[in-house]
Amino acid sequence: MTEAAYFWSKEAEIILAPYVQILIGAEKPPTISSPLLAATWDYSFNDDLLVDLKLACKANIYGRVSHQTLADIRKSLENGVLVALLVPPRLYLLFPYDLTWDGRLEALWNRPSVLVPKNVLEQVWSIYERMTN
């Protein structure tokens, strides 16, 4: 990921933070990792629950997340960091026991998730396009 894409990803983290908070069931908003630090997480709840955000905006086209995204998810889960995975229109929560997940979307249907409003998804899609172009 380029440095510019990294900073754009921070914008997506800010936009999606309230939905990650709902997904986790936290009472307080998360702390978002600083773009100046190379943290292995994006959100911290009460300084002990860490969550990494992954965007899989095109996963519905292929029926699965990309191999690179899956590798990134597994790396986070191996480190004990939960993963909030955006596969529009839903934000899913993955736990360390999901390490064996093979990336196919049908396996997410029974996972904890929240529906992200269309206007928020449009903002994230715009950011995603800037990150990948």
Side-chain angles (χ1 to χ4, degrees), residues 12-32:
E13 291 167 20
I14 293 167
I15 293 168
L16 290 170
Y19 304 96
V20 174
Q21 179 183 351
I22 292 167
L23 186 61
I24 296 293
E27 292 179 18
K28 296 180 182 177
T31 300
I32 298 175

Side-chain angles (χ1 to χ4, degrees), residues 11-13 15-16 53 55 57 86 88 116 118-131:
E11 189 177 334
E13 291 167 20
I15 293 168
L16 290 170
L53 176 66
L55 304 177
C57 294
L86 180 68
V116 179
K118 184 178 179 182
N119 64 322
V120 175
L121 290 173
E122 288 170 351
Q123 291 175 42
V124 172
W125 182 260
S126 173
I127 293 165
Y128 180 80
E129 285 184 323
R130 283 185 277 159
M131 288 172 57

Side-chain angles (χ1 to χ4, degrees), residues 2-3 12 22 25 28 31 44 46 54 58 63 70 73 93-94 96 101 114 116 133:
T2 67
E3 188 175 340
I22 292 167
K28 296 180 182 177
T31 300
S44 173
N46 300 325
K54 299 296 179 195
K58 295 182 180 179
L70 184 58
I73 289 169
L93 185 61
L94 300 173
W101 177 55
V114 295
V116 179
N133 288 330

Side-chain angles (χ1 to χ4, degrees), residues 24-76:
I24 296 293
E27 292 179 18
K28 296 180 182 177
T31 300
I32 298 175
S33 65
S34 169
L36 302 176
L37 303 173
T40 59
W41 52 270
D42 296 316
Y43 306 102
S44 173
F45 292 89
N46 300 325
D47 295 325
D48 62 350
L49 178 62
L50 303 177
V51 180
D52 194 14
L53 176 66
K54 299 296 179 195
L55 304 177
C57 294
K58 295 182 180 179
N60 284 317
I61 296 168
Y62 304 106
R64 62 176 300 115
V65 299
S66 72
H67 294 292
Q68 182 59 52
T69 300
L70 184 58
D72 292 345
I73 289 169
R74 286 184 175 150
K75 184 177 178 185
S76 293

